[in-house]
């Protein structure tokens, strides 16, 4: 899958979250599917997802929070 394909899947999965739920992008995928992707593609998805959260289709749907100790961006569904 390409980074854009993964982004589409992540945006779709946000709809399955409950209001107030805190997550990282990795949580939106089954572990084995996320781990199969190249590290470079996973990093791109993180950047693309952050862009969607701040200025794209997810703006107003999710809130950008602080990063984890592993430097992964946290989000909360509004």
């Amino acid at each position: 899958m390409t980074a854009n394909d993964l982004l589409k899947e992540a945006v779709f999965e946000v709809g399955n979250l409950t209001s107030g739920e805190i997550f990282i992008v990795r949580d939106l995928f089954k572990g084995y599917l996320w781990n199969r992707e190249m590290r470079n593609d996973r990093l791109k998805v993180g950047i693309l997802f952050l862009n969607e959260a701040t200025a794209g289709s997810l703006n107003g749907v999710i809130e950008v929070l602080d990063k984890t100790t592993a430097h992964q961006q946290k989000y909360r569904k509004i």
Side-chain angles (χ1 to χ4, degrees):
M1 294 179 93
T2 67
N4 286 326
D5 293 335
L6 292 170
L7 176 65
K8 288 177 189 173
E9 182 70 26
V11 169
F12 175 79
E13 287 297 324
V14 167
N16 294 328
L17 299 175
T18 58
S19 182
E21 195 165 352
I22 296 174
F23 65 96
I24 60 174
V25 174
R26 178 186 194 135
D27 296 338
L28 301 173
F29 298 90
K30 291 183 180 178
Y32 65 90
L33 294 176
W34 183 254
N35 292 333
R36 287 179 185 167
E37 298 303 324
M38 299 288 292
R39 182 176 185 270
N40 190 34
D41 287 337
R42 295 191 311 240
L43 291 172
K44 285 180 188 175
V45 171
I47 293 167
L48 293 171
F49 192 85
L50 180 60
N51 290 339
E52 284 293 313
T54 56
S57 64
L58 294 175
N59 188 15
V61 176
I62 62 173
E63 175 184 8
V64 179
L65 303 175
D66 294 333
K67 290 190 175 191
T68 67
T69 55
H71 304 289
Q72 295 171 317
Q73 186 66 56
K74 291 191 300 186
Y75 302 93
R76 177 185 303 136
K77 184 169 182 187
I78 299 173

